[in-house]
Each structure stands twice: as C-alpha cells, then as structure tokens.
Amino acid sequence: MNQNNYSTERRKSRTVQIGNMAIGGNNSVAVQTMTTAPVTDVAASVRQIEALAEAGAEIVRLAVPTVAAAAALAEVRRQTRVPLVADIHFNATIALAAIEAGVDKVRLNPGNTAMTDDLRRVLAAASDRGVAIRIGVNSGSVMPRDLPAGRPHTPQEIADRMVDAVTAYLRLTESVNFHNVVLSLKASDVPTTIEAYRRIARICDYPLHLGITAAGPREEAVLKSAAGLGTLLSEGIGDTLRVSITDDPLIEVQIGRRLLEVLHLRPLSGVEVISCPTCGRCQVDLTSLAERVYAATRDIRRPLRVAVMGCVVNGPGEAREVDLGVAAGKGFGVIFRRGQAGEKVPEDQLLERMLQEIRRATAD
C-alpha cells in the first residue's frame, strides 16, 4: 500500500514559519512535544531537546515560568537547532524576555494572560523578530463558572468558551496587523476537543496545533489521542500535534509520528507489524511471536511492513500484502517474501528466522 496516498483533503490554512520549520499550507503535519527538564538547567535541557529531535520531534516547547528561565533560554537556543517554543502563562513580560532570548514561537493562554499593553508590546516584539505566537487555550482555564450549578457542562458549552477566548485574542492580533499566529483549543475530554477544533476551523485559516490536554497515563492518553486527533486529522483538520502523555516525552514523539503514519499522513519510517487477534483456529503461540517481533524491531528506521498471522484463513492473504510475513499452521509457519510463499519453518525457529529476514530486508 502506498503510505503517501492519503485521499482526505486537508483544511487550507495559511503558512506560518517557526524558526526553520514551516507549518500549515501544504506542509506535512509536524510533531511536537515538551521538555521536562527545567530551562534553568541548560545542559539537561539541551540533552533532552537533542534526544527528542533525534526521535523525530520537529518543534519542542519549554515551560518558561520566570524571567530567570527566559534568560537561560538564550543559551539553550544557542546550543540547539530545532525550533523552540516558550510556554508562557500569567505574565506577558516573561514573553518579552523569551523573545529577546531568541525563541521561535511563544505560547500564550487567553485563559490567564490578559489583553493589556504588555501583550501589545509582545506582539510588536514578535513582529519585529519574526517570532510566531500560539494562542493556546485549555478547557480548564476557561471552564464556565456562570452556568447553573449541579449539572455537568456540555462539550458544546465548553467549546463555545474556548472559541470565544481564542477569537477575542485574534481580534487583538489582527487589529495590530499581526498574523503570524497558530491556534490550539485543547480539552481533556475528547468530544469537547473535537467540537472546539471543528468550530475554529470553520471560521479562520490560521494553522491549528492539535492535542488532548491532561490526557493521562500512556494507555488512556493513546486512546484519547487516537480517537480525538485521529478524528480531526481524518477530516483534514490539523497542522501540528502533540500526543500528551504522563510519561517520557520521547514516547509522545514516537506515538505522534506513528499516528500520522497509520493515517498515511507521513510515510512509514520503521517496521509496521500486522498480526491477527488470534482465535480457536490458531495452533501456534502467536501472541508471544508477534510481541517479540514487535519489541525487537522498534529501533529499526527503515520502512518495512511485516505480517505475523496465525492461521490459513486470513494469514496467506495478509502475508502476501506486505514486504515480509509468516502464515502459521499447526506447529509451523510459512515465510512469505514480497507476496511469494517460501519455506516451511518449525514453530520453535520462527522468531529467529523472522528476525533474520527482517535484518536482511532492512540492512543498509
């Protein structure tokens, strides 16, 4: 299957430059994440940014809570090449210091950063230096407090508040002719997130950064991101994304890139393992075989589609559709290469034989 052949038409957004990275327009959806090291620990921040970039992060955001953190950001910027975003809350003055430090984009939250003269100075400084601004609202910072008590707020009500907060900021940015803007409207609730992004996508052409905020531990976060971001991306909405997980940000990057690959918004960049869910027809330990093939191939960066199938119903067909596959019978498996059936291998040799074939197929 052609991994680049994605038929859904992307929403037409304007192009915004983030350092050396262009987003929006006809550019690919970019993968973002956020560091966990404090910016004031320059060495740790630089190491983490370099590791994230190596894993595939194309834009990295850093929390900048103080003027001291903004000052340290200048040295982090000097030692790294990936586009950097300063995450600013409550204090527009810190945003000015981050711009002075050389950051490529500043994230401001309409829920806690008032539209004051300081904010206008931030926009002027960003305009002078070619720095982008992300207007990033989270549902928690605009949660309705004037609605009747004793009932939950609906996704529509919260989405309304999020869109209102963003559009109020946009009226200010546009009034000073500042258009180097990216928008995000994140909730921890999937339907609310989808509703907010759909609404903002209909009324403007600014690039959209997707995410589910406070999505939770890994399994919970992956489910929410697959449902929420996958829905929006499949509708052509979204120009950058972050898969937020309470875990190592490297995992965020890996899952974000994989999400784009399974939607065919990015070409395959490693080994994709296809395996059946097993049933009463399966007569080998397919679960162990599939998991061990998967675990052994996570560091491979050459594209390869591998099928690990457990019976003769779907196995041969699936194995013929991929680069390399095995279709198992009772205590054995048949190796397929590029759709052609090969030798019959005993079950106890299948793992090593599959790994040998994968190493051969992905060798430089």
Side-chain angles (χ1 to χ4, degrees):
M1 183 180 295
N2 182 354
Q3 295 293 310
N4 293 302
N5 185 19
Y6 191 80
S7 58
T8 297
E9 183 178 353
R10 293 268 306 278
R11 165 182 172 265
K12 290 180 172 57
S13 60
R14 67 179 68 196
T15 300
V16 170
Q17 197 73 27
I18 316 296
N20 58 12
M21 181 88 186
I23 64 170
N26 293 321
N27 297 290
S28 297
V29 179
V31 176
Q32 298 192 31
T33 189
M34 195 168 180
T35 60
T36 55
V39 182
T40 48
D41 188 340
V42 171
S45 294
V46 169
R47 283 195 302 271
Q48 190 171 35
I49 290 168
E50 290 175 343
L52 293 169
E54 178 66 23
E58 293 158 310
I59 301 171
V60 176
R61 181 159 49 112
L62 305 92
V64 186
T66 64
V67 173
L73 189 58
E75 184 59 22
V76 175
R77 170 71 290 169
R78 190 185 69 79
Q79 295 186 39
T80 56
R81 294 292 176 267
V82 66
L84 299 182
V85 182
D87 195 60
I88 309 293
H89 296 272
F90 304 109
N91 192 330
T93 301
I94 298 174
L96 284 169
I99 292 171
E100 182 67 26
V103 76
D104 302 296
K105 182 168 71 172
V106 170
R107 181 273 177 101
L108 298 173
N109 187 342
N112 57 42
T113 308
M115 288 184 285
T116 63
D117 288 340
D118 279 345
L119 179 56
R120 289 178 173 83
R121 284 192 286 272
V122 169
L123 296 177
S127 181
D128 289 343
R129 289 179 173 248
V131 172
I133 298 291
R134 169 151 74 96
I135 303 172
V137 63
N138 290 343
S139 59
S141 61
V142 296
M143 188 66 74
R145 294 178 175 85
D146 57 351
L147 297 172
R151 69 166 176 82
H153 304 118
T154 67
Q156 291 75 22
E157 288 169 338
I158 301 171
D160 279 345
R161 296 301 179 93
M162 295 168 73
V163 172
D164 287 348
V166 167
T167 53
Y169 248 53
L170 281 177
R171 284 193 290 273
L172 173 61
T173 59
E174 291 176 346
S175 73
V176 296
N177 202 31
F178 186 90
H179 302 284
N180 202 24
V181 169
V182 181
L183 309 178
S184 67
L185 302 88
K186 300 182 182 181
S188 57
D189 175 70
V190 171
T192 301
T193 301
I194 292 172
E195 181 70 16
Y197 277 107
R198 282 174 173 167
R199 291 187 184 194
I200 202 68
R202 288 194 293 266
I203 62 176
C204 72
D205 67 349
Y206 291 104
L208 299 179
H209 168 67
L210 304 184
I212 307 292
T213 192
R218 188 186 308 193
E219 183 175 327
E220 186 84 359
V222 170
L223 288 170
K224 287 181 177 180
S225 294
L229 309 191
T231 296
L232 292 165
L233 291 166
S234 69
E235 295 176 0
I237 296 171
D239 302 284
T240 78
L241 64 81
R242 178 192 180 190
V243 176
S244 298
I245 305 176
T246 309
D247 207 327
D248 189 328
L250 285 170
I251 296 170
E252 294 187 352
V253 175
Q254 293 161 356
I255 293 174
R257 294 189 69 85
R258 191 72 190 102
L259 177 60
L260 295 176
E261 290 174 6
V262 300
L263 288 171
H264 297 183
L265 289 168
R266 285 289 185 96
L268 186 63
S269 63
V271 176
E272 177 184 4
V273 178
I274 297 165
S275 61
C276 61
T278 78
C279 68
R281 291 187 296 267
C282 186
Q283 299 183 75
V284 297
D285 185 359
L286 191 76
T287 299
S288 175
L289 179 60
E291 288 179 347
R292 293 170 77 181
V293 168
Y294 181 83
T297 56
R298 292 309 84 202
D299 292 333
I300 296 175
R301 290 292 172 262
R302 295 285 294 275
L304 190 76
R305 301 182 75 229
V306 175
V308 183
M309 304 299 294
C311 76
V312 296
V313 174
N314 293 318
E318 292 287 355
R320 285 190 173 94
E321 290 295 313
V322 297
D323 302 305
L324 178 67
V326 59
K330 185 175 182 179
F332 70 90
V334 176
I335 303 293
F336 286 77
R337 302 176 188 84
R338 304 280 182 187
Q340 300 299 313
E343 66 272 26
K344 188 175 178 180
V345 178
E347 180 179 359
D348 61 0
Q349 299 175 28
L350 275 176
L351 175 63
E352 183 54 36
R353 191 53 178 275
M354 285 295 291
L355 295 181
Q356 287 175 357
E357 294 290 337
I358 290 169
R359 286 192 289 266
R360 184 179 297 118
T362 58
D364 290 334

